[in-house]
Amino acid sequence: MSVPSKVVVQVKDLHKRYGDVHALRGLNLDVYAGEIVGFLGPNGAGKTTAIKILSGFLAADSGSASICGFDSETQGLEVKQVLGYLPENNPLYSDMRVVDALNFIGAAHKLSGAKLKDAIERVVEQTQLHQVYWRPLGHCSKGFRQRVGLAQALLNDPQVLLLDEPTNGLDPLQVVEMRKLITSLGAEKTVIITSHVLPEIEAVADRVVVMNHGSKVMDTDIASLASEQLIAVELHCSVDAFKAICSQAEAHIEEMIVANDSNCQAMIKANGNASELVSRLAEAAVANKVQVANLSPQGHSLEHEFRKICQNDGGQA
Amino acid sequence: MRSLVIARREFFAYFESPIGYVVVALFSALAAALFFLVGDVFFSYNQASMRHFFSNMPMLVAMIAPAIAMRSWAEEIRSGTVERLMTLPFSLGQLVVGKFLGVWAVFAVALLCTLLAPISVAMLGDLDWGPVVAAYVGTLFLAGAGLAICCFLSALTSNQIVAWMVGACTLLVFNLVHLLASAVFIPRWLAEISLNIDMSQHFHALARGVIDVPSLGFYVAVMIISLVANTLILSLRRHS
């Protein structure tokens, strides 16, 4: 990952309503050059709406979005020239052959002659489309169609790539291939990718923005998440005894779930080695003669937060 | 001209499926059948004239223009490719004009196929080609107006059949609205309006081969108003 320097995507207080539904509620975001940012959230969280506004397909009700310094509303044409966009469900002209679709999108980006030929050769190589180059899009598999969508998004060699659910509907092998491709693209471009699947974002992104009900609820680096493990603890003791044990084990209580005179359940955040903290908690419990009902690592805090969001929304992820 | 990129895609898309060929064949066959066979007008006049051929054009265009334009936006909206299109570096105006030019070119091909009729007449007698060419130009403008209206209507729906039906009904109204003028209960000002906005009334002089500039201006105005309305609809879609 390159060192973040310049802000290339800036979103300020973005609002969007669909009738009574408030799809975006004041989204603020800065994305730096060279970052791969993952928008994560359950269905209906506002990820796709944010991407559609950034791409210029939708207009925001209020607020602003700019890409490479161009305002997406007042400088739409300039934005579209520096942007590559793969929409959700990847709509394509099924009647066209792959070569014709690439030629059309290239011409739309004012490419012609040798420049167009070079651009097509480059994206065909990047997305490995040789096999289906002359094939009608309607006869291509889902995986190849997705690659064609990505190739179209890359034809103008964009500075910023917006990928809305790029692995949707792909089989596991195709998902792995697509992730590799996105990661390699991230070496030279700023990428914003949306997904409602956590491992998807973890696999490709440098940074994750968790959204829910149109708002940003978390914005953190993937690298820092590894050091933020959560441990579920259930001890048969009073609250005071529980706190004393945590204090002895130098554990920070992230969230108390159940707390009464005979049973305490809590989430403990481990800023470092989680298994060491589990050992310290176990030793402290034994020393205080408290029965341990549960003491298990739960993954990192993002996973916990995301699971909570999804459970509150009916558990879709 | 940036719109030509869209126009080229639109034009060739019609001929990727049978619909383009069916529309072209149907239009030429109907035009020829109405001219040579229906009512025996051509042979009973015993004149090498194409006047009767062009007098059928307003109704033929009212049937064919919605069939050509119905998919222009409705299919893009249904399949979701409108999102791809609207995120390419084109202004909404360029997209609308490009789509329109594409369907207009499809109609032009259909119209070219009817050239067999005047060629046949020229073989039977001494045909004056001047009025024929003028009437062909007039037909292109008449169809341009009809196609622009139908493209606008196509942008209102994601269903091609609905777009075709609404388009055909709208063009029928614009071709029959002059009948209001003969109704006794209609005030004079309304009768005048009905005559002035009727597409077939503006075609009378053109069908005779007269380049009637006010009538051509009327068709151009209809095209501009429809294309602006089409652009507004797309803009509203962005804000919906």
Side-chain angles (χ1 to χ4, degrees):
Chain A
M1 176 194 158
S2 57
V3 178
S5 52
K6 193 177 76 175
V7 174
V8 286
V9 178
Q10 191 164 49
V11 175
K12 281 185 183 166
D13 197 26
L14 215 56
H15 284 265
K16 179 73 181 174
R17 274 181 178 276
Y18 301 113
D20 293 339
V21 180
H22 210 153
L24 280 182
R25 299 165 190 261
L27 179 67
N28 288 291
L29 184 72
D30 284 342
V31 178
Y32 297 90
E35 269 192 312
I36 303 183
V37 175
F39 277 14
L40 182 68
N43 294 332
K47 313 179 294 288
T48 294
T49 301
I51 290 279
K52 281 180 195 290
I53 291 172
L54 283 173
S55 72
F57 180 59
L58 286 181
D61 293 343
S62 64
S64 67
S66 70
I67 293 181
C68 297
F70 300 116
D71 186 272
S72 67
E73 196 54 38
T74 58
Q75 296 169 291
L77 285 180
E78 288 86 348
V79 165
K80 289 167 186 173
Q81 274 157 7
V82 295
L83 194 69
Y85 177 42
L86 176 65
E88 189 180 15
N89 301 325
N90 185 25
L92 295 169
Y93 293 111
S94 296
D95 55 302
M96 282 180 138
R97 294 177 307 172
V98 172
V99 54
D100 299 327
L102 294 176
N103 272 308
F104 169 60
I105 300 292
H109 283 290
K110 301 180 187 173
L111 296 172
S112 60
K115 279 187 179 172
L116 177 58
K117 191 170 166 271
D118 291 347
I120 290 178
E121 277 175 9
R122 173 175 51 81
V123 298
V124 166
E125 190 61 41
Q126 275 177 307
T127 54
Q128 293 296 301
L129 284 174
H130 311 88
Q131 199 182 326
V132 293
Y133 189 63
W134 298 102
R135 200 178 289 175
L137 280 162
H139 297 177
C140 290
S141 67
K142 175 89 184 173
F144 273 120
R145 285 173 64 88
Q146 206 72 357
R147 285 194 213 179
V148 173
L150 192 56
Q152 289 184 339
L154 291 169
L155 256 178
N156 58 326
D157 197 14
Q159 294 180 49
V160 179
L161 260 181
L162 302 178
L163 309 175
D164 197 358
E165 309 263 5
T167 58
N168 233 0
L170 299 183
D171 67 38
L173 272 180
Q174 291 169 334
V175 168
V176 172
E177 279 178 22
M178 183 59 82
R179 283 178 185 172
K180 270 189 204 163
L181 189 54
I182 294 167
T183 310
S184 67
L185 290 170
E188 53 188 44
K189 298 183 190 307
T190 306
V191 183
I192 298 180
I193 174 174
T194 75
S195 179
H196 59 276
V197 184
L198 177 58
E200 178 81 33
I201 297 297
E202 283 182 303
V204 296
D206 305 317
R207 180 178 149 205
V208 60
V209 173
V210 182
M211 293 184 68
N212 196 30
H213 297 304
S215 301
K216 185 170 75 176
V217 292
M218 197 183 219
D219 185 348
T220 184
D221 287 340
I222 293 282
S224 68
L225 287 171
S227 61
E228 285 184 5
Q229 297 290 316
L230 286 176
I231 300 162
V233 182
E234 185 178 357
L235 304 178
H236 291 308
C237 64
S238 66
V239 180
D240 289 342
F242 187 90
K243 284 181 178 169
I245 289 167
C246 288
S247 172
Q248 279 174 32
E250 294 171 16
H252 169 72
I253 300 172
E254 176 75 10
E255 182 190 359
M256 198 62 126
I257 299 163
V258 175
N260 55 42
D261 285 345
S262 59
N263 185 265
C264 287
Q265 290 178 37
M267 279 292 172
I268 304 285
K269 189 186 263 183
N271 290 316
N273 192 330
S275 54
E276 261 181 30
L277 184 57
V278 168
S279 305
R280 289 207 302 274
L281 280 165
E283 284 166 13
V286 170
N288 286 278
K289 295 180 181 165
V290 167
Q291 191 185 344
V292 178
N294 183 24
L295 197 52
S296 52
Q298 296 292 300
H300 52 62
S301 53
L302 171 64
E303 205 171 324
H304 176 66
E305 199 64 37
F306 188 54
R307 207 180 298 151
K308 265 199 326 193
I309 289 167
C310 294
Q311 276 166 358
N312 290 342
D313 283 0
Q316 291 183 65
Chain B
M1 192 181 171
R2 298 279 292 140
S3 297
L4 289 180
V5 175
I6 301 295
R8 197 164 53 228
R9 146 76 201 153
E10 191 69 16
F11 178 79
F12 287 111
Y14 271 89
F15 296 103
E16 289 290 340
S17 69
I19 189 167
Y21 299 97
V22 169
V23 165
V24 168
L26 196 69
F27 180 73
S28 352
L30 272 174
L34 286 172
F35 179 48
F36 288 116
L37 305 177
V38 176
D40 200 22
V41 180
F42 171 68
F43 292 105
S44 62
Y45 272 19
N46 203 25
Q47 279 182 358
S49 164
M50 293 295 291
R51 211 164 141 183
H52 177 58
F53 176 83
F54 286 106
S55 68
N56 294 321
M57 280 301 164
M59 276 304 165
L60 269 175
V61 166
M63 284 171 61
I64 293 299
I68 295 175
M70 65 183 184
R71 73 183 288 282
S72 57
W73 288 106
E75 179 59 16
E76 300 271 8
I77 296 166
R78 187 201 63 77
S79 65
T81 46
V82 70
E83 187 170 354
R84 176 85 64 190
L85 211 52
M86 285 174 69
T87 51
L88 288 174
F90 293 106
S91 66
L92 291 182
Q94 286 170 334
L95 290 176
V96 167
V97 170
K99 284 266 177 193
F100 168 69
L101 291 178
V103 295
W104 206 8
V106 173
F107 180 82
V109 169
L111 196 59
L112 270 178
C113 292
T114 66
L115 275 174
L116 280 175
I119 289 169
S120 307
V121 172
M123 288 165 73
L124 294 171
D126 187 17
L127 179 67
D128 182 357
W129 279 95
V132 174
V133 171
Y136 265 106
V137 171
T139 306
L140 263 183
F141 277 77
L142 166 76
L147 288 164
I149 291 172
C150 292
C151 281
F152 157 67
L153 295 170
S154 174
L156 297 172
T157 176
S158 59
N159 187 319
Q160 289 191 56
I161 305 301
V162 171
W164 177 76
M165 286 173 69
V166 176
C169 291
T170 306
L171 291 192
L172 273 180
V173 168
F174 271 103
N175 277 291
L176 299 174
V177 70
H178 69 276
L179 297 175
L180 275 179
S182 52
V184 280
F185 54 86
I186 291 290
R188 193 172 161 174
W189 62 270
L190 191 55
E192 277 182 19
I193 288 176
S194 69
L195 284 173
N196 280 321
I197 63 167
D198 190 292
M199 290 172 74
S200 62
Q201 292 296 301
H202 284 280
F203 195 68
H204 285 326
L206 295 167
R208 291 196 308 270
V210 178
I211 295 285
D212 181 30
V213 175
S215 292
L216 291 181
F218 167 77
Y219 292 136
V220 170
V222 172
M223 285 183 229
I224 291 171
I225 291 168
S226 302
L227 296 180
V228 169
N230 195 340
T231 309
L232 285 175
I233 288 297
L234 292 182
S235 180
L236 283 175
R237 188 173 278 280
R238 282 192 70 235
H239 288 87
S240 64

